[in-house]
């Protein structure tokens, strides 16, 4: 995470988090009331179906990915938090086991050659590049994510 320190206020902001549905996370700025009496944070989520913001924190609503922007009222804090809400099928995690791995790529390949059929939720997770097709390119991207050649954050 990043530790922001300004005139009388400190706040530690993580760069990535994994939460389960229902979990909450609170940013706890410590401010000197004499030096920074009106210090506050504003948190905005790019995916409000997965994350809701609550004051200086946020809550995981459903599986998925979200980027949160955190800014302070005095302009000294401007950070982004990448949040993965686990549980169920999410981009790349076709079988919903909480991991993106070669088995997910295999499921995509089997579906692309009609050896097996994916349900609606699995299809959304399998179409990692968002082109409305489930094919070998999606499987390749999943394998690249598992080997850290690419990041899931490039596709969400």
């Amino acid at each position: 995470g990043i530790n922001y320190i300004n005139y009388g206020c400190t706040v530690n902001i993580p760069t990535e988090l994994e939460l389960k549905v229902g979990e909450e996370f609170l940013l706890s700025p410590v401010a000197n009331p004499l030096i920074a009496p009106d210090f506050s944070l504003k948190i905005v989520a790019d995916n409000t179906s997965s994350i809701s913001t609550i004051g200086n924190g946020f809550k995981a609503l459903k599986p998925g990915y979200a980027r949160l922007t955190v800014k302070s009222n005095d302009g000294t804090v401007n950070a982004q938090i990448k949040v993965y809400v686990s549980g169920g099928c999410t981009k790349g995690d076709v079988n919903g086991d909480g991991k993106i791995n070669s088995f997910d790529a295999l499921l995509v390949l089997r579906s692309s050659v009609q050896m097996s059929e994916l349900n609606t939720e699995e299809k959304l997770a399998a179409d990692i590049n968002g082109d409305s097709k489930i094919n070998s390119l999606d499987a390749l991207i999943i394998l690249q994510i598992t080997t850290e050649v690419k990041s899931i954050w490039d596709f969400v």
Side-chain angles (χ1 to χ4, degrees):
I2 300 171
N3 198 27
Y4 287 90
I5 302 172
N6 79 340
Y7 306 97
C9 185
T10 304
V11 61
N12 186 18
I13 300 176
T15 53
E16 281 194 39
L17 282 175
E18 179 177 340
L19 299 175
K20 291 180 170 64
V21 173
E23 277 188 301
E24 294 182 11
F25 187 86
L26 182 65
L27 296 173
S28 302
V30 178
N32 179 327
L34 297 175
I35 300 172
D38 62 345
F39 183 85
S40 64
L41 296 173
K42 181 177 181 178
I43 304 171
V44 177
D46 73 344
N47 181 355
T48 55
S49 66
S50 287
I51 295 285
S52 69
T53 58
I54 310 163
N56 281 346
F58 44 92
K59 182 177 182 174
L61 302 176
K62 73 173 205 171
Y65 297 87
R67 286 179 179 82
L68 302 176
T69 302
V70 181
K71 294 184 178 183
S72 63
N73 62 327
D74 65 0
T76 58
V77 175
N78 186 0
Q80 185 180 81
I81 307 171
K82 296 174 182 174
V83 181
Y84 166 60
V85 181
S86 61
C89 295
T90 56
K91 280 279 189 198
D93 182 14
V94 181
N95 66 346
D97 67 353
K99 301 177 203 97
I100 299 174
N101 55 36
S102 59
F103 187 67
D104 297 301
L106 176 63
L107 292 173
V108 171
L109 282 174
R110 289 177 55 84
S111 173
S112 72
V113 295
Q114 289 79 43
M115 287 182 68
S116 65
E117 189 159 332
L118 302 175
N119 66 34
T120 303
E121 188 179 20
E122 292 167 338
K123 286 178 184 175
L124 289 171
D127 182 20
I128 196 155
N129 64 353
D131 66 356
S132 300
K133 300 173 190 162
I134 298 169
N135 54 32
S136 59
L137 180 56
D138 296 301
L140 173 62
I141 292 169
I142 289 171
L143 289 173
Q144 289 174 325
I145 291 168
T146 64
T147 58
E148 298 181 359
V149 171
K150 293 192 177 184
S151 167
I152 186 62
W153 294 102
D154 297 331
F155 301 95
V156 294

